[in-house]
């Protein structure tokens, strides 16, 4: 009896332990099933991510580079002879350069002079122009397209100039790739002025030139036709200087 007791005890202990093992196994199985389900879900997510990675994205928009990459020295864009003809007795023969925060994209120059003819009076002339270079931009378009749009804006600005009278505007050829002229009179500082404006585009650069004049001490206001003739001549020289600067 004494020898059998320990043996019976061991059998009972094993009998109790076996259900416990099955219970643990059952829990492990449920847990494993849940884990497997989670693993499948993760696999599906990973597969989705991999599919997304493999889907080719649209290439970034590209536009051709603009033709002109730089601007010339504005005050050297016009010949000395041209300045002497259009602005007699100019205060600064070398011109007054415009202040620009970005001279690679914007430059300009101006000249003014009073030609005193004694008893015949005096005539005042002022010539100013600016150059605005546009670069190609995927979001905004080519440099040429942006410049073309700017021409229209500049022309509209002069056509709607406050105080202007007898406004005449025309599209012209032979000056760059696109050009328009605007003529108008204006009363400035108690004196009558006549303005001749040329807005032209050469590739991706817009040139805006204003040549104007007034008569003092009995002198007549410069003729509109003569001013426009001089303005167009100067605009052609500026356009040519841009091409030369980019050779």
């Amino acid at each position: 009896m004494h020898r059998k007791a320990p043996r019976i005890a061991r059998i009972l202990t094993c009998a109790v332990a076996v259900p416990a093992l099955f219970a643990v196994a059952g829990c492990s199985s449920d847990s494993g099933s849940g884990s497997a389900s989670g693993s499948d879900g993760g696999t599906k997510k990973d597969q989705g991510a991999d599919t997304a990675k493999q889907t080719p994205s649209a290439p970034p928009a590209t536009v051709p580079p603009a033709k002109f990459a730089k601007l010339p020295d504005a005050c050297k864009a016009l010949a000395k002879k041209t300045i002497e003809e259009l602005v007699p007795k100019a205060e600064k023969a070398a011109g007054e350069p415009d202040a620009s925060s970005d001279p690679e994209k914007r430059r300009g120059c101006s000249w003014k002079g009073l030609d005193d003819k004694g008893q015949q009076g005096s005539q005042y002339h002022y010539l100013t122009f600016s150059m605005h270079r546009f670069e190609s931009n995927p979001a905004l378009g080519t440099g040429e397209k942006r410049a073309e749009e700017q021409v229209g804006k500049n022309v509209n600005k002069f056509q709607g100039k406050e105080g202007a009278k007898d406004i005449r505007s025309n599209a012209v050829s032979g000056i760059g790739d696109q050009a328009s002229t605007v003529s108008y009179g204006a009363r400035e500082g108690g004196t009558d002025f006549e303005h001749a404006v040329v807005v032209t585009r050469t590739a991706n650069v817009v040139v805006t030139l204003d040549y104007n004049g007034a008569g003092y001490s009995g002198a007549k206001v410069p003729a509109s036709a003569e001013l426009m003739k001089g303005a167009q001549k100067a605009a052609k020289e500026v356009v040519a200087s841009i091409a030369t600067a980019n050779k």
Side-chain angles (χ1 to χ4, degrees), residues 85-105:
E85 177 188 342
L86 301 183
V87 189
K89 306 292 180 65
E91 291 183 6
K92 293 184 179 180
E96 184 69 33
D98 290 355
S100 175
S101 59
D102 191 353
E104 294 301 314
K105 292 183 179 179

Side-chain angles (χ1 to χ4, degrees), residues 195-246:
H195 289 256
V197 176
V198 177
V199 181
T200 182
R201 174 183 68 84
T202 174
N204 58 305
V205 179
V206 175
V207 176
T208 304
L209 186 145
D210 182 357
Y211 179 42
N212 59 77
Y216 289 93
S217 303
K220 294 182 179 180
V221 178
S224 176
E226 287 300 312
L227 288 174
M228 183 55 71
K229 181 180 178 181
Q232 292 191 33
K233 176 182 179 179
K236 290 178 181 178
E237 285 191 27
V238 176
V239 168
S241 73
I242 294 170
T244 300
N246 284 271

Side-chain angles (χ1 to χ4, degrees), residues 6-53:
R7 184 175 180 183
I8 293 173
R10 284 196 301 271
I11 292 173
L12 291 176
T13 300
C14 290
V16 174
V18 169
L21 288 175
F22 279 113
V24 173
C27 292
S28 298
S29 176
D30 292 341
S31 176
S33 175
S35 176
S37 176
S39 176
D40 288 344
T43 301
K44 291 178 181 178
K45 290 181 181 178
D46 292 340
Q47 289 174 346
D50 290 340
T51 302
K53 290 179 181 178

